[in-house]
Amino acid sequence: MILFDDTWWLPSGETHLQQWMKAANHRVDGRLTYQRNKYDAALGYCESRRTAIVAGAHVGLFSYWMAAVFAVLHAFEPHHDHRFCWEANMRRRRKNAHLYAVALGASQDAVALETGPASSGDTYVVPKERVNGHGLIPMMRLDDYHLRDVDFIKVD
């Protein structure tokens, strides 16, 4: 885990986000942002701010801002390193934010993940046989959580 720009914890080896955020150089409350214009545009369609969901929460680059404006945030992130960074990045916003260590999918199952070498955002499901049953991550259906009053869902 590395501390980038004294504000964001990122997985070791992550260079894509650092380059992208430095080049964009857009800050909110002193923190560099990632694709903030897309988030702001989507949020503009959201009339209520009760419950938000992030499917693929990664390291919390969107969760951080969402927890500030929604009453409750439910974040789903299957990758261990990303969850570790999410927890570190969300320390100040943790009261109303809940993190689940699962992947979301069409059925209950287990999945295996691989991540690109320089971009932790390049994480994807691979055949379970590649890991021979070791390191499998639970996959759940979002409906299994019976969340109520959901006003915003970010899926990545």
Side-chain angles (χ1 to χ4, degrees):
M1 191 163 82
I2 58 170
L3 182 60
F4 167 64
D5 195 53
D6 291 327
T7 55
W8 294 112
W9 288 99
L10 301 173
S12 298
E14 171 60 65
T15 57
H16 167 75
L17 286 173
Q18 293 180 56
Q19 293 168 354
W20 199 98
M21 287 192 285
K22 279 182 185 176
N25 196 31
H26 182 259
R27 292 180 185 270
V28 174
D29 297 334
R31 297 175 78 102
L32 284 171
T33 65
Y34 183 72
Q35 298 182 346
R36 179 64 188 239
N37 59 329
K38 292 179 182 181
Y39 169 66
D40 288 341
L43 195 59
Y45 291 98
C46 186
E47 293 179 14
S48 295
R49 306 280 169 88
R50 296 168 299 178
T51 302
I53 295 170
V54 181
H58 193 236
V59 300
L61 297 176
F62 287 94
S63 297
Y64 184 85
W65 307 112
M66 292 170 76
V69 297
F70 286 91
V72 179
L73 173 68
H74 296 280
F76 297 84
E77 177 52 53
H79 195 286
H80 175 271
D81 293 346
H82 303 171
R83 287 193 313 271
F84 193 73
C85 292
W86 189 96
E87 293 280 359
N89 289 325
M90 293 295 291
R91 282 191 186 117
R92 294 190 307 165
R93 302 256 197 239
R94 194 68 168 104
K95 285 184 179 179
N96 63 329
H98 310 281
L99 182 62
Y100 304 89
V102 301
L104 292 176
S107 62
Q108 290 187 7
D109 200 351
V111 297
L113 300 174
E114 281 188 9
T115 300
S119 178
S120 58
D122 290 341
T123 300
Y124 48 91
V125 173
V126 296
K128 291 186 256 188
E129 297 77 30
R130 281 200 195 175
V131 294
N132 297 320
H134 300 289
L136 291 178
I137 297 152
M139 183 173 72
M140 302 290 291
R141 297 175 337 116
L142 182 57
D143 291 347
D144 294 332
Y145 288 86
H146 306 287
L147 302 176
R148 303 247 183 248
D149 300 323
V150 176
D151 296 308
F152 191 89
I153 301 175
K154 181 199 177 292
V155 179
D156 189 2

